[in-house]
Amino acid sequence: MSLYYVQKLIYNLNRDPDLVFKFQEDMTGVLAQYELTTAEMDAIRKPDIGLLYVSGVNGQLLMHYAALREYEWDDYIQAMKDGLKKYGNVKAGYYSRTGGGAV
Amino acid sequence: MSLVFAGICSHAPGITGRAERADPELREGLYSNFNKMRLAIEATKPDALVVIGAEHFANFFMDNMPAFCMGMAENYYGPIEDENWLNIKRHKIPGNPELSEQLITMIMEDIDLAYAQEWKFDHGIMVPLNFLTPDYQLDIIPVNINCQGPPLTPLHRAWKFGQALRKACDKIPERIAVVGTGGISHWPATPDSGKINEQWDRDFLEKWKNNNAEALLSYKDEDVYQDGGQGGFEIRTFISVAGACEGNTGEIWFYAPIPIYAVGCTIGSMNLSKS
């Protein structure tokens, strides 16, 4: 997974309302501007928040993409938990589960 | 001495965005101490507030990630996030480019510091400003320390940045307040959001309060990650404030784990009686 470009797209969406508009009008066209695999495009398009999380998308980016796709906070947390069950542990980056602390 | 106030506070987006979901007593305790900090800052009549933050990919990304960056803009804008999500209205925030340039020029003698004439504030700065400068009249000078995209800024460099900031402030007549904002232990925006390592937090805050440089700089990132989570890397902002106040000790005004805010919420200040 070209994690860098998945995160770069989300970073740009967070910063640029015009890009959000284009993304909502022509998602395929915007995705084509980034070096993404078909699986990555599918995960972003669907969106499969759980897969994006497990793939290593930094939570500080992912939570805003989830909000953009109209996930409420609790649904966003649940989507990541579902992703862990379906796809296994986080494969890259710092946003894996580390244990420690207490809820 | 031109450093007139130095403090630390939390900035978690839940503090405003999920405000009503916390225990009302804890929320009131946090909010009242934010207000106490606002009054303390106002009482020092600062010309500017330097906010040492740990932003979350609002302006800086892995295509060009500075270890340190300081704002040098006429105005800033924030929040970059959805206003309803953060429950903070978008504002134009005044900067002070002349003062920024003076500080940056002096700090660069000791620290390789990037600067930015554009900066969109995320919750990491907007949540503190929402409480500390709610009318957005005080000039703000933002600082970012890379706490997100590894390799991260080393802790001892964060301390040195604080020292360099203090040295620069001591050379100018303007009255500068500084606030470092970050989390201690937290696992933000993960399935473990809400997890807080209270003992680890209290241990860190004891070291911060005593301004024990050796103890503060002895943390290793791998241990912080394990014991304090991803959000624990933001201790760099608190360590910078301690470095700016070397020789002085501090007080923790408020600390309480508030899981729905995803962090042990903290407000504290350094006593600047010793120059």
Side-chain angles (χ1 to χ4, degrees), chain B residues 112-124:
Chain B
D112 294 324
L113 176 68
Y115 63 85
Q117 290 187 273
E118 287 183 52
W119 197 314
K120 295 176 180 175
F121 293 167
D122 74 4
H123 66 269

Side-chain angles (χ1 to χ4, degrees), chain A residues 5-54:
Chain A
Y5 286 107
V6 174
Q7 296 190 115
K8 185 70 183 285
L9 167 61
I10 297 174
Y11 165 77
N12 286 338
L13 285 170
N14 287 345
R15 287 180 53 78
D16 184 354
D18 291 340
L19 182 62
V20 170
F21 180 76
K22 285 181 195 163
F23 185 72
Q24 288 168 335
E25 293 291 304
D26 178 18
M27 200 174 286
T28 301
V30 170
L31 290 172
Q33 302 299 311
Y34 294 80
E35 293 180 28
L36 302 168
T37 66
T38 303
E40 290 162 355
M41 290 188 193
D42 288 346
I44 294 166
R45 192 184 285 113
K46 196 174 174 181
D48 189 337
I49 297 296
L51 179 56
L52 292 170
Y53 170 66
V54 166

Side-chain angles (χ1 to χ4, degrees), chain B residues 9-19 27 30-31 34-35 37-38 41-42 49 51 78-79 83 86-91 93 121-138 140 179 181 261 267:
Chain B
C9 69
S10 303
H11 65 230
I15 292 172
T16 52
R18 298 187 292 279
R27 182 181 64 236
L30 174 63
Y31 280 25
F34 262 124
N35 195 47
M37 181 176 271
R38 175 181 67 79
I41 291 171
E42 287 174 0
L49 171 62
V51 182
E83 293 172 305
L86 191 59
N87 198 23
I88 296 178
K89 291 287 179 199
R90 200 150 287 142
H91 286 88
I93 298 125
F121 293 167
D122 74 4
H123 66 269
I125 289 181
M126 288 308 294
V127 169
L129 294 188
N130 176 67
F131 294 100
L132 302 179
T133 62
D135 55 1
Y136 299 96
Q137 294 297 310
L138 180 62
I140 302 299
V179 170
T181 176
Y261 296 169
I267 307 274

